[in-house]
Amino acid sequence: MSQTASTFLYGGQVHANGIRQHYLRYGGSAGERAERDAVVLIPGITSPAVTWGFVAEHLGRQFDTYVLDVRGRGLSASGPGLDYGLDAQAADVIAFAKELGLERYALVGHSMGGRIAVRAASSKPEGLARLVIVDPPVSGPGRRAYPANLSWYVDSIRQAIHGMTAEDMRAFCPTWTDSQRQLRAQWLHTCHEPAIIQSFEDFGRDDIHANLPGLALPMLLMTAEKGGVVSDEDVAEWQGLAPQTQHVRVPSAGHMIPWDNEAGFYAAFGDFLGRPVD
């Protein structure tokens, strides 16, 4: 049986919005990609770009695909002295797309990455054509808290900095495969703890709902059946604020949707990106 060739092209870095931004690029033939929007993947709070490589491999069969290391994660700029707020993260994405000369692109943001995508879209950057928001925290001022504990992130990061095996990671990610736990154990130490703490606390301080009425872009809201991050009432509110929003709930999946139901994750895109994600 022949194996499908990898769509990974290279890892790169650009200086954009005043910082070093690291990314991974995937894609098929240039001729095929030229007819479709590029796809920029923005991972969640403790997910360096490399951990989304399996998704980017798949999307890269049909789209020019970029996966970002959000500031304070992976190989992008990190450490003390940086602004880790939502506005800075959103400005990073806009500057990244401009620096790479992306003429038309879609943002696909998971969890925190979805909030970054919404805030980035609110400034109406040139070239941004579509938004896919995947199970975003809908917390904010006066809203219910995000259903996760900060200690889960901090404890696992500190253990990764000390030295962590895939078996150690089982305590934090019991349903993941050995290879998934191994990759997370390898890269989690690159998540700068103060950046993670600020992002987590900002889930309760930043109001992304205030940005929704100003968005006219086609938008797909993809949510998990399990995990309790986005309820049916939350979906109704979101669509009331941004009526163009399509919604798909992925069955048998928790918050980390492609880890729990990878096929369902791809199917949920439908033809929203211009063609089905086969």
Side-chain angles (χ1 to χ4, degrees):
M1 182 181 296
S2 62
Q3 290 185 331
T4 303
S6 174
T7 64
F8 175 69
L9 295 176
Y10 55 82
Q13 301 188 66
V14 295
H15 189 82
N17 195 34
I19 67 166
R20 181 189 70 254
Q21 296 193 45
H22 175 259
Y23 66 98
L24 302 175
R25 185 175 180 183
Y26 298 76
S29 71
E32 291 179 348
R33 295 196 309 269
E35 300 176 358
R36 302 167 198 155
D37 297 349
V39 173
V40 178
L41 279 170
I42 313 171
I45 187 169
T46 55
S47 295
V50 67
T51 63
W52 276 79
F54 72 105
V55 172
E57 280 275 8
H58 193 96
L59 293 177
R61 298 177 192 173
Q62 300 174 63
F63 304 98
D64 190 13
T65 303
Y66 303 79
V67 195
L68 295 181
D69 270 330
V70 177
R71 59 169 63 199
R73 289 90 172 161
L75 300 181
S76 286
S78 188
L82 279 185
D83 179 358
Y84 294 108
L86 182 60
D87 287 338
Q89 294 169 333
D92 286 347
V93 173
I94 296 169
F96 172 83
K98 184 176 181 180
E99 183 67 24
L100 267 64
L102 302 183
E103 295 182 359
R104 278 183 57 89
Y105 62 96
L107 293 179
V108 178
H110 173 251
S111 191
M112 179 191 76
R115 292 169 65 90
I116 293 171
V118 167
R119 184 59 56 87
S122 69
S123 64
K124 299 178 172 56
E126 184 177 356
L128 180 56
R130 296 179 176 90
L131 292 174
V132 180
I133 312 300
V134 183
D135 220 43
V138 290
S139 46
R143 297 176 175 275
R144 77 175 190 278
Y146 177 54
N149 294 317
L150 179 59
S151 61
W152 186 90
Y153 300 101
V154 172
D155 291 349
S156 59
I157 290 169
R158 291 179 179 177
Q159 191 167 345
I161 290 171
H162 176 76
M164 191 178 209
T165 67
E167 187 58 32
D168 294 332
M169 184 59 73
R170 188 184 297 274
F172 298 94
C173 304
T175 65
W176 289 21
T177 66
D178 286 342
S179 60
Q180 290 168 347
R181 286 193 293 268
Q182 182 65 50
L183 190 62
R184 185 168 175 83
Q186 179 187 357
W187 282 89
L188 188 60
H189 77 279
T190 68
C191 293
H192 184 51
E193 183 177 320
I196 306 311
I197 292 173
Q198 179 170 349
S199 292
F200 185 90
E201 292 179 345
D202 282 351
F203 288 167
R205 293 188 291 232
D206 285 309
D207 183 12
I208 62 167
H209 291 78
N211 298 125
L212 294 177
L215 301 183
L217 292 171
M219 184 160 31
L220 173 64
L221 177 63
M222 186 189 305
T223 62
E225 182 181 56
K226 304 175 182 178
V229 175
V230 185
S231 69
D232 290 342
E233 292 76 14
D234 296 324
V235 172
E237 180 185 15
W238 191 292
Q239 292 180 316
L241 294 170
Q244 80 278 18
T245 303
Q246 302 175 39
H247 173 245
V248 179
R249 196 173 288 284
V250 181
S252 303
H255 183 57
M256 304 298 284
I257 295 176
W259 281 258
D260 293 339
N261 183 356
E262 187 176 359
F265 175 73
Y266 301 135
F269 282 91
D271 61 358
F272 183 80
L273 294 177
R275 63 176 297 169
V277 179
D278 299 326

